[in-house]
Amino acid sequence: MNPRKVCLLAGGVGGAKMAEGLAAHDDVALTVIGNVADDESFHGLWVSPDIDTLTYSLAGRIDRAQGWGVADEGHRALETLKLLGAETWMSLGDRDFGLHIHRTMRRARGDRPSDIARDVARAFGVTPAILLPTDDVVQTRLRTTDGRWLSFQEYFVRERCAPEIREIAFSGMDMARPTPEALAAITAADLIVIAPSNPLVSIAPILGVPGITEALRAATAPKIAVSPFIDGRVVKGPADRMMASLGLRADALGVARRYRTLADRLVIDHADDALAAEIAAEGPAPHYSDILMKSQADKARLAREILDLAFTPAEAMA
Ligand code: GDP
Ligand code: CA
């Protein structure tokens, strides 16, 4: 049988776990559309944290304990920068710096960011395609209660998600053009999966690129989203506090409402079955599973369940 074409929309850590699970199956041809809105310049270098988390994870080079960054990493370059008086709150490792230097050099030369991401993934031995939703610069901006606009990394790393968020904007989004690769992957997909990534700052800036949501709506493939909330909590990160401070439900129901018109199914945790009635009434049809991915086996099992949900006729599942 030809492998199923699966197109995954993914942010960083939660997205990469789902990508690894899908990539573990031989009957899947995986394409991942990542998030570029966390990108930012540090020390003159263009850093693309979510794309690199996908690449490092799928290459088996990720620091498994933290879920991001490279394993067996050192920080000597950062020590030098600190000695020279640079701001070093953004932790960038020595191995990681090599990639940022390469990316920056190629961008300066005028290469397409998509081509750079593809070549980097290939060099690292990654089999799935890692695509960018746009080659244009789109950046998340977060307005705090005290009226400051922060970049994602300023909010997330420098201020450790402490400020309360009033508003989220994506600079450059209006003018951004989708990449032909991302549009083609969506159109050709047999299954579209929305990873359990932060809906507001990982998935929203993919969906917001003009043309991407339209392509998703036009696609005939089933669309299955996975909740990043388990038992009313996020596994990690600020999605719960962000959603709450924007007046949204910070739980699987909030996710269901968000993906109501986009996804056919929402995979949620058994721990959230108290929300079943509300989710069934307001969101995509729920499917209950264990959605915490700790081990490689957890990731592969959840991915298999999603594939079964999409491709096994209902009678066979009963
Ligand atoms: P980031 O860019 O590194 O913040 O990563 P993502 O946006 O891709 O993912 C962040 C989200 O992943 C958080 O809201 C977490 O709750 C969620 N997440 C992390 N690990 C898991 C997991 O094992 N299972 C599920 N369902 N969600 C997870
Ligand atoms: Ca991210």
Side-chain angles (χ1 to χ4, degrees):
M1 198 180 75
N2 283 337
R4 307 280 196 179
K5 295 194 195 82
V6 180
C7 177
L8 175 73
L9 309 191
V13 175
K17 286 184 177 180
M18 196 70 257
E20 285 188 275
L22 289 163
H25 297 292
D26 289 339
D27 56 343
V28 168
L30 180 63
T31 299
V32 188
I33 301 178
N35 171 39
V36 295
D38 290 2
D39 288 19
E40 192 169 336
S41 174
F42 293 96
H43 318 293
L45 302 176
W46 195 253
V47 178
S48 192
D50 282 3
I51 301 301
D52 292 350
T53 295
L54 287 169
T55 305
Y56 293 145
S57 295
L58 290 167
R61 289 174 182 245
I62 199 86
D63 180 332
R64 296 257 168 229
Q66 20 179 62
W68 55 273
V70 189
D72 184 29
E73 186 57 290
H75 290 87
R76 294 185 175 190
L78 211 64
E79 280 170 24
T80 303
L81 285 161
K82 191 168 191 174
L83 180 127
L84 294 170
E87 276 189 57
T88 52
W89 48 262
M90 182 73 174
S91 170
L92 298 167
D94 297 337
R95 294 181 189 277
D96 198 29
F97 262 116
L99 172 49
H100 306 319
I101 291 168
H102 179 79
R103 173 189 293 119
T104 306
M105 185 245 338
R106 288 194 55 184
R107 288 175 75 107
R109 205 162 75 185
D111 289 353
R112 284 175 74 219
S114 289
D115 291 346
I116 305 170
R118 178 202 59 208
D119 294 345
V120 167
R122 209 171 272 169
F124 278 100
V126 171
T127 312
I130 298 178
L131 306 182
L132 309 189
T134 179
D135 283 321
D136 297 317
V137 174
V138 169
Q139 285 175 302
T140 296
R141 312 289 300 163
L142 303 139
R143 186 167 62 84
T144 62
T145 39
D146 53 8
R148 294 177 302 149
W149 281 99
L150 303 178
S151 75
F152 183 76
Q153 304 305 337
E154 286 167 344
Y155 165 75
F156 187 72
V157 182
R158 190 185 70 197
E159 311 213 358
R160 295 168 205 275
C161 310
E164 198 167 326
I165 297 306
R166 277 278 161 272
E167 185 183 351
I168 302 175
F170 302 110
S171 70
M173 190 65 99
D174 292 353
M175 303 297 283
R177 292 149 299 175
T179 59
E181 291 91 341
L183 295 178
I186 292 168
T187 304
D190 299 313
L191 166 64
I192 293 163
V193 180
I194 302 177
S197 290
N198 187 319
L200 301 178
V201 292
S202 292
I203 301 298
I206 301 174
L207 299 178
V209 173
I212 295 278
T213 293
E214 291 79 353
L216 287 166
R217 290 200 200 288
T220 49
K223 296 164 200 110
I224 300 180
V226 184
S227 171
F229 285 87
I230 299 177
D231 201 10
R233 278 186 296 273
V234 287
V235 179
K236 64 183 280 288
D240 51 351
R241 300 191 29 253
M242 278 185 169
M243 288 184 64
S245 55
L246 293 174
L248 305 167
R249 283 277 296 238
D251 59 10
L253 179 59
V255 177
R257 285 177 177 158
R258 211 163 161 88
Y259 295 143
R260 175 173 47 201
T261 62
L262 195 63
D264 308 305
R265 307 292 306 258
L266 176 67
V267 183
I268 57 183
D269 201 84
H270 289 297
D272 287 310
D273 62 1
L275 298 169
E278 281 173 291
I279 289 177
E282 295 189 44
H287 171 82
Y288 290 89
S289 181
D290 294 314
I291 63 168
L292 184 61
M293 295 175 277
K294 284 191 172 159
S295 63
Q296 297 302 101
D298 294 338
K299 296 170 195 171
R301 185 206 37 80
L302 179 57
R304 175 53 66 200
E305 213 170 310
I306 292 168
L307 295 165
D308 288 347
L309 201 56
F311 300 123
T312 311
E315 344 35 298
M317 298 272 292

